Amino acid sequence: LVGSCVLPLFTAIPDGAIMLFSGLGPIENAQDTLSVGVGALTGSTILVLTLPWAASILEGRVDIHPTSGELGYKLHPKISKTRRWKKTLFYTGVHVNRAVKIGGYVLLLTAFPYLLIQLPASYLVSDYHEGDDALTVGESFWSLFALLMSLTGFIGYILYQVQKSYSGKNVAMNLRREAVTQKAVVDGMLSLSAALGQFVVEADQWINSESNHEEYKSMGSDNSISLPTEVYNKLLHILNPIFIKYDCEPKDGMLNQREMHYLFRDMHEDISDAQINTLFHQFDMDQDGRISFDEFVHATAYVIKKSYNRDIQNSLSLQSIDNWKHSGSRSFSFEEEVEEMPKDLANKRPEKQQMVIKIRALVMLISGTTLILLFSEPLVGVMDEIGKRSNIPSFYLSFVIVPFISNAPELISTQFYSRKKTRKSITIALSALQGSAVMNNTVCLMIFMGLVHFRGLEWNYSTETMLILGIEAVLAMFTRKEVLTTLDAIFIAMLFPLSLLILIVM
């Protein structure tokens, strides 16, 4: 629920707050200052769908085979450094996941309230003069209608995300959650048990009650562990880069006992050397002195489950096997490659770690939201004052400047994900940008319509409305493609300056 509902809502707070404060204050000044909020809304919506979208394609692009059209996600390197400009434009790009395609349709659907106010407003303006009471009454009615539709769209979007979250079919959110979990584990922010314990334990309980609905991967008769496909696939995606990182001597796709010891130690699993020794021999099914990735996944699931349930001390029998510490040198170390977990959390139980992390996250969210609300009103005043002193309309200033401020987290995080050059990471990046635009179409537009209706402000933003609808329609068309190329990225990037030019001319 946090990833599917809370975080998308928080992404809309900066633009929503700027829109709200721009329409407050004395009524004689509200119409002028509202242009700051409208500029921020227009610029923010167009920005997230153009420049960072194009940058994500450029950062995440891989080679495309000229004849088969297959993307080189499995190649090394994934993109050739020496290419002619023609091949770069047409034969490098990113995969468009089904989740991104659906996001394009959702984006268009949530933009419908723009038409609810724009079409009647165009008709009313042609029949009445500015300032007429009939014009004000007409715009007030349609703005209320658009407000209710925006509210409906927002509730519908949240319910859709909740339903997808519970059903496990929200592809983009699941990928994003896996990526965040993976980074938290690798960076030492969470132990494996804290990050995945609840999921593994709940899945295990679900197995006991509905085992006939899943195919299981079994470790064999010597082990009582069975993993459902859901658990196995999740652990596979999260553990694969960790396994590769610790597979060092030699790099053969297997872990020896020493490497496995360092891995669990750096992942902050509180297991003794003797227990690691026993665990290794318990899951080394072919007894060749090495653990394959499949065996490692099952062993990790076992450790996570037992550690989360606080009974790992009793679950591993301490067999009298020669201590591995005397069998080889410790010439390699990973201390400098993995950040340390905060000292106050390193020795706590997984459930305690989760509780502290959630409290800290909540405090950070509340603190950040408070700062946004405190600085939004002064920002509106600053933009308005700069416009007056520079003789540049405040609308254009807020269109260009404010979106980079309010959308900074999305701009940074999407580029971080795109650089990984995987299908999963590019889906996360593009879906995040779509989600930000959807929040503008619902939450921010709802605030805008509320100001028009309850404060009696005039609707003078036909060009801005049609521009937003046009950009969203173009992006929805692009998401219908299977592959977005470098040429597509250049075209999409040009939409932002083109939009500004259209606004200036019209």
Side-chain angles (χ1 to χ4, degrees):
L1 292 180
V2 173
S4 59
C5 301
V6 178
L7 293 183
L9 178 60
F10 272 87
T11 62
I13 289 178
D15 291 321
I18 293 170
M19 174 63 72
L20 176 64
F21 287 114
S22 69
L24 298 180
I27 192 66
E28 58 271 14
N29 299 328
Q31 190 68 52
D32 293 331
T33 57
L34 184 62
S35 61
V36 175
V38 176
L41 172 61
T42 308
S44 176
T45 305
I46 295 177
L47 174 69
V48 297
L49 296 177
T50 54
L51 296 183
W53 189 285
S56 295
I57 297 175
L58 295 177
E59 289 284 359
R61 60 183 172 166
V62 298
D63 286 339
I64 303 174
H65 195 279
T67 55
S68 66
E70 184 178 355
L71 283 86
Y73 285 109
K74 297 182 179 179
L75 299 177
H76 298 284
K78 296 182 179 182
I79 185 168
S80 304
K81 293 184 179 180
T82 56
R83 272 183 172 272
R84 293 183 177 181
W85 66 268
K86 185 176 181 180
K87 288 188 175 181
T88 299
L89 291 177
F90 294 98
Y91 295 107
T92 59
V94 300
H95 173 68
V96 181
N97 189 285
R98 182 172 179 270
V100 178
K101 296 179 185 293
I102 295 175
Y105 294 118
V106 173
L107 188 62
L108 283 180
L109 190 62
T110 55
F112 182 68
Y114 281 109
L115 291 176
L116 285 180
I117 182 65
Q118 180 54 47
L119 295 179
S122 301
Y123 168 77
L124 290 169
V125 169
S126 64
D127 284 1
Y128 301 99
H129 298 289
E130 187 173 329
D132 287 354
D133 291 339
L135 177 61
T136 303
V137 172
E139 288 184 343
S140 178
F141 170 78
W142 287 106
S143 62
L144 178 60
F145 192 20
L147 184 154
L148 295 176
M149 288 302 297
S150 298
L151 178 61
T152 302
F154 172 71
I155 295 175
Y157 180 75
I158 293 298
L159 292 177
Y160 171 75
Q161 294 290 352
V162 171
Q163 188 272 331
K164 286 288 185 180
S165 177
Y166 278 120
S167 65
K169 296 179 180 179
N170 190 334
V171 178
M173 194 59 62
N174 288 341
L175 293 177
R176 193 180 312 165
R177 190 180 297 115
E178 284 183 8
V180 171
T181 302
Q182 185 184 92
K183 187 176 188 303
V185 171
V186 172
D187 288 353
M189 296 171 62
L190 286 174
S191 67
L192 282 169
S193 300
L196 298 168
Q198 185 176 0
F199 171 77
V200 172
V201 170
E202 288 180 353
D204 182 69
Q205 294 171 350
W206 178 75
I207 293 168
N208 294 334
S209 60
E210 301 185 38
S211 59
N212 59 322
H213 294 296
E214 279 287 345
E215 296 180 2
Y216 298 93
K217 298 188 177 288
S218 175
M219 288 298 297
S221 58
D222 294 334
N223 294 280
S224 60
I225 299 177
S226 296
L227 294 182
T229 304
E230 178 189 10
V231 176
Y232 184 84
N233 288 338
K234 187 179 184 72
L235 293 180
L236 184 148
H237 291 144
I238 292 175
L239 297 177
N240 185 52
I242 300 174
F243 182 90
I244 293 174
K245 180 177 180 178
Y246 284 82
D247 174 20
C248 295
E249 297 180 357
K251 203 169 186 66
D252 56 356
M254 308 285 282
L255 291 183
N256 58 40
Q257 193 166 327
R258 184 176 53 198
E259 291 168 339
M260 189 169 176
H261 168 80
Y262 276 104
L263 188 154
F264 280 112
R265 183 202 64 185
D266 290 345
M267 296 300 106
H268 301 283
E269 292 301 326
D270 187 19
I271 309 176
S272 68
D273 293 347
Q275 290 171 329
I276 284 285
N277 191 14
T278 303
L279 183 71
F280 186 89
H281 287 277
Q282 183 178 350
F283 283 89
D284 182 13
M285 299 301 297
D286 50 11
Q287 299 299 312
D288 63 350
R290 299 180 303 169
I291 290 284
S292 68
F293 180 65
D294 183 73
E295 293 168 340
F296 171 69
V297 170
H298 285 82
T300 303
Y302 181 70
V303 170
I304 290 173
K305 176 185 174 184
K306 296 301 181 182
S307 178
Y308 193 80
N309 287 334
R310 298 190 179 191
D311 60 357
I312 192 167
Q313 299 291 336
N314 301 322
S315 65
L316 296 177
S317 58
L318 300 180
Q319 303 173 8
S320 56
I321 304 175
D322 292 337
N323 198 312
W324 64 270
K325 290 186 290 185
H326 304 294
S327 63
S329 64
R330 301 188 188 183
S331 58
F332 73 104
S333 175
F334 297 98
E335 284 94 337
E336 296 179 359
E337 297 184 19
V338 181
E339 298 177 13
E340 288 295 330
M341 181 183 293
K343 293 182 179 179
D344 60 329
L345 295 182
N347 297 320
K348 295 183 182 295
R349 288 291 176 184
E351 62 272 15
K352 184 66 174 179
Q353 290 180 2
Q354 285 191 340
M355 183 182 72
V356 174
I357 291 293
K358 289 175 181 178
I359 293 175
R360 290 179 181 176
L362 181 62
V363 171
M364 293 176 67
L365 283 174
I366 294 175
S367 301
T369 303
T370 302
L371 290 174
I372 290 171
L373 295 176
L374 288 175
F375 285 99
S376 293
E377 186 174 10
L379 179 61
V380 172
V382 168
M383 290 292 106
D384 189 51
E385 189 64 26
I386 292 176
K388 291 178 180 177
R389 297 192 180 191
S390 63
N391 292 322
I392 300 176
S394 57
F395 172 86
Y396 300 120
L397 290 172
S398 60
F399 180 93
V400 175
I401 298 175
V402 173
F404 288 95
I405 300 173
S406 61
N407 294 286
E410 289 85 359
L411 301 183
I412 296 172
S413 64
T414 52
Q415 299 315 297
F416 166 79
Y417 285 122
S418 299
R419 290 191 188 103
K420 296 184 177 182
K421 294 184 182 297
T422 65
R423 297 175 189 269
K424 178 170 69 174
S425 61
I426 194 64
T427 299
I428 293 171
L430 299 184
S431 297
L433 295 173
Q434 287 177 328
S436 181
V438 168
M439 287 295 104
N440 283 349
N441 286 351
T442 53
V443 177
C444 296
L445 183 58
M446 182 169 56
I447 295 173
F448 187 15
M449 293 299 99
L451 292 171
V452 172
H453 176 75
F454 293 107
R455 301 222 68 195
L457 302 178
E458 296 178 359
W459 176 265
N460 299 323
Y461 307 103
S462 299
T463 304
E464 294 82 350
T465 298
M466 299 311 297
L467 198 55
I468 291 174
L469 290 171
I471 296 296
E472 292 184 349
V474 170
L475 259 293
M477 291 176 60
F478 270 106
T479 56
R480 295 182 63 184
K481 301 178 64 176
E482 292 297 325
V483 176
L484 291 176
T485 64
T486 300
L487 182 62
D488 294 329
I490 295 174
F491 178 82
I492 292 171
M494 293 301 296
L495 292 176
F496 186 79
L498 179 62
S499 300
L500 181 59
L501 180 62
I502 292 173
L503 289 170
I504 293 174
V505 172
M506 301 183 66

